[in-house]
Amino acid sequence: NYRNTEQILSAAYGMIRDLDTAGMAARETEEEYVVPDKGLRQGGAPEVCRSSSTGAAFRDALEWIRVRLARGVPPDQIMVLGLSWDEMSRLDTWLDDAGVPAQVLGRRGQPGAVRLSTVHSSKGLDAECVLLLGAHRLDRYDETEARRLLYIAMTRARSEVCVAYHAESALMKALKDLATGSREAS
């Protein structure tokens, strides 16, 4: 795998390992998952971040984006994923109002902007840095689908991924345990 770092791939694969082991995931979705020993690059561990509310999640997303822009990451190499087009449209407007050029994919807009998409529409896409917003909402899906969507979102990232949530979630607890090596979060 030339896209992801070993750390991103290991955490993402850890979320679907049981599905893949049973052979269900690849057959049901007609996708082939990449196992961690095929990750060729090293990098940082995935971030799993909790905000206090929806409003705080948008503010935290803005800060996360601004940090990467300040480090010199081109805006079009930052992708924010969500679970609904409505949320991505609201984020688009909010980021534009905050002075960060953003564009919901598939709409007319400016080139060189932070890309916004749903997880479902992100297959085949990638970016240096990916933020999954509102990941606790994955719990609305059955466990197999939720884990598959989380894997898809995380593996869009080439170097850095942050999975953000703001409500209790069994799936986020499992991911946080994987990403931090089962350490308790501070």
Side-chain angles (χ1 to χ4, degrees):
N1 178 17
Y2 295 98
R3 178 188 298 160
N4 313 117
T5 64
E6 184 177 335
Q7 290 77 7
I8 291 171
L9 189 56
S10 291
Y13 185 72
M15 297 306 297
I16 56 119
R17 180 179 300 120
D18 292 340
L19 305 176
D20 194 48
T21 300
M24 292 173 52
R27 279 197 307 272
E28 288 179 4
T29 63
E30 298 179 8
E31 294 181 66
E32 183 178 329
Y33 294 101
V34 180
V35 296
D37 62 345
K38 293 182 183 175
L40 299 178
R41 297 182 301 117
Q42 296 297 309
E47 295 177 70
V48 185
C49 303
R50 183 170 183 178
S51 300
S52 59
S53 66
T54 300
F58 273 34
R59 289 187 299 276
D60 293 345
L62 175 62
E63 179 62 21
W64 187 88
I65 292 165
R66 284 184 170 158
V67 164
R68 274 117 201 108
L69 293 171
R71 281 197 334 232
V73 176
D76 64 350
Q77 286 302 311
I78 299 171
M79 186 165 39
V80 181
L81 301 175
L83 293 170
S84 77
W85 286 114
D86 182 55
E87 180 180 42
M88 293 297 95
S89 292
R90 286 193 320 272
L91 183 62
D92 181 25
T93 300
W94 197 84
L95 289 173
D96 283 339
D97 289 348
V100 174
Q103 177 180 349
V104 175
L105 295 179
R107 295 187 186 163
R108 289 193 127 170
Q110 68 240 12
V114 172
R115 297 179 290 158
L116 311 176
S117 181
T118 64
V119 175
H120 289 92
S121 295
S122 69
K123 291 179 187 174
L125 301 176
D126 62 35
E128 265 322 292
C129 304
V130 173
L131 171 65
L132 173 59
L133 197 60
H136 60 283
R137 291 188 193 104
L138 287 166
D139 283 348
R140 295 178 182 166
Y141 296 90
D142 70 64
E143 186 175 3
T144 298
E145 181 69 1
R147 287 175 179 267
R148 186 182 75 78
L149 290 170
L150 182 57
Y151 175 89
I152 290 167
M154 291 178 70
T155 58
R156 302 306 91 204
R158 289 194 300 265
S159 298
E160 240 182 295
V161 66
C162 179
V163 179
Y165 67 105
H166 61 271
E168 290 297 321
S169 166
L171 188 63
M172 292 300 96
K173 181 182 180 337
L175 177 61
K176 193 166 206 166
D177 288 347
L178 268 173
T180 61
S182 298
R183 290 183 284 130
E184 278 298 309
S186 52

